[in-house]
Amino acid sequence: ESELLGKVTASSYAELNRADAERLHVTDGQMIRLKSAIGAVELTARVDGRAPEGVVIAPVNLRPVDTRRLLADGEVAVPVTVERL
């Protein structure tokens, strides 16, 4: 984890497109679960419209959640399911 990045963004998150968030009934700041074929993580949702529709952006280098648990070795992107908690 980068010390500078930790000052700007203190904890892990998943960024969702507004249209996707509305469809999933997810609000900004709500806890969600991302599930891939090999793992699952729980993160805070950020709904700000910057993520492309159909894409979830979840940085791998923020704490406390290690989103690399969703990826197999060598993967940088993977299909996920989003669940409200």
Side-chain angles (χ1 to χ4, degrees), residues 35-70:
K35 291 173 60 176
S36 74
I38 63 169
V41 295
E42 295 179 1
L43 303 159
T44 302
R46 281 195 182 174
V47 180
D48 60 14
R50 293 188 302 180
E53 192 167 348
V55 174
V56 177
I57 299 171
V60 297
N61 56 348
L62 299 176
R63 293 185 184 176
V65 178
D66 186 353
T67 57
R68 289 175 283 209
R69 287 187 267 165
L70 301 171

Side-chain angles (χ1 to χ4, degrees), residues 16 18 35 57 61 76 85:
L16 301 171
R18 288 187 199 284
K35 291 173 60 176
I57 299 171
N61 56 348
V76 295
L85 296 179

